[in-house]
Amino acid sequence: MLTPEQRLDHLHTSLRARLDTPARTWLTTALTEAAQGAEPTPPPGAPPAWETRFASAGRCCTRREPPHEPDPEAAEAARVLMLCTARADAPTVTRLAAHGTAAERRAVLLALPYLELGPAATPLVEDALRTNDTWLVAAAVGPYAARHLGAHAWRHAVLKCLFTGVPLSAVAELARRAGGDAELARMLGDYARERTAAGRALPDDLHRALALTEPTPAHRPTGPHPTEPEAPTEP
C-alpha cells in the first residue's frame, strides 16, 4: 500500500506526463512558489504567489496532445499538489474555498486528507454537503469526512448521496462507519418508505447501505476514526 507521500509523488508524475511543455514549466514554477509560500512569515497583507496560480490552473494546465486545450482534471491535480506542497493551513483552505470556483472548492476538498488540519476543515465539508452539486458532494465524502465528521453529520452525508445520486462508492470507509449503525438504518428505512409511498424506485445503493447497517457480532464503531487518505483521482 502506498503512503500518502508516494501517492502524491505518483500524482505529480502522472500529471507532468499529461501536460504540454508550457504547462509543465508552469507547474514547476507553481510548486516552487507553493514550497516557498509554506515558509513562515509571508509578506503582510499579500497572499503567496502560488495562490494566484491556484486560481489560474484551469487555463494554464493544457493537454500534451494538440490542440493543447485546457484540461480540467489536470488543473484539479495541480491544485491538490499546490495545496499539499504549501502545507496549507485551515485559514488558507477556508479562504480559497470561500472565494474560489466550484472546481477550486473541489480541489480543496480532495486535498484535505493530505493536510494536517485535524477537524478544523469540517465546516468546508459540511458546506459542500449543503449544495446539490454532485461533483462537490462526491469530493466531500472522502477520507477526510470518514476521519472527522461526527456520526450525525456523516449519516446525513450518506443520505445526501442517495438524494443526489452520488454513488455510495464515493463514501470513504462506508462499511466501517455504517456497520451496525441502528440510527443510520432507521434513517435509511424512513427514506425507503418515503420513496415507496411516492411510487419511486429504490436505488440499489440503498439496499447496499441497509445491508451494511445490520448488526454483527463484532463491534464496529460508527464515529470518526483515523484513516489513510485515498489518492486523488489521477488526471
Side-chain angles (χ1 to χ4, degrees):
M1 183 179 294
L2 296 178
T3 66
E5 292 77 13
Q6 289 170 329
R7 289 171 177 168
L8 290 172
D9 286 344
H10 185 63
L11 181 67
H12 186 193
T13 300
S14 300
L15 174 59
R16 290 189 66 83
R18 186 175 179 133
L19 298 175
D20 64 11
T21 299
R24 288 197 299 271
T25 301
W26 177 91
L27 178 65
T28 297
T29 302
L31 294 180
T32 299
E33 290 175 349
Q36 294 170 346
E39 297 299 322
T41 318
W50 70 268
E51 292 189 21
T52 301
R53 294 188 183 275
F54 183 86
S56 66
R59 64 177 181 271
C60 294
C61 289
T62 44
R63 292 185 175 93
R64 182 174 184 175
E65 298 80 8
H68 309 295
E69 295 177 339
D71 186 336
E73 292 180 0
E76 179 174 279
R79 288 177 173 130
V80 170
L81 290 170
M82 279 188 272
L83 288 164
C84 295
T85 301
R87 302 192 298 277
D89 58 14
T92 298
V93 296
T94 300
R95 182 177 67 254
L96 291 173
H99 298 290
T101 63
E104 290 165 36
R105 292 175 66 191
R106 178 176 158 89
V108 168
L109 293 167
L110 293 174
L112 292 181
Y114 296 90
L115 303 172
E116 298 178 1
L117 303 179
T122 52
L124 300 182
V125 174
E126 293 166 348
D127 184 59
L129 291 170
R130 283 190 287 268
T131 74
N132 289 318
D133 186 330
T134 56
W135 207 39
L136 289 177
V137 172
V141 293
Y144 184 84
R147 185 185 303 175
H148 294 294
L149 275 189
H152 178 76
W154 185 84
R155 291 175 186 129
H156 280 277
V158 173
L159 283 175
K160 184 73 175 194
C161 289
L162 293 171
F163 289 148
T164 58
V166 171
L168 290 188
S169 57
V171 182
E173 298 288 328
L174 176 65
R176 179 186 67 79
R177 293 207 58 172
D181 188 339
E183 178 61 15
L184 178 60
R186 183 194 65 76
M187 294 167 68
L188 293 171
D190 289 346
Y191 173 66
R193 284 187 288 275
E194 289 172 5
R195 287 189 67 93
T196 300
R200 302 176 67 186
L202 300 181
D204 291 339
D205 270 353
L206 175 59
H207 299 293
R208 177 190 172 203
L210 278 168
L212 289 172
T213 64
E214 294 178 0
T216 60
H219 172 68
R220 290 180 177 179
T222 59
H225 178 75
T227 58
E228 185 174 331
E230 296 176 355
T233 303
E234 290 186 14

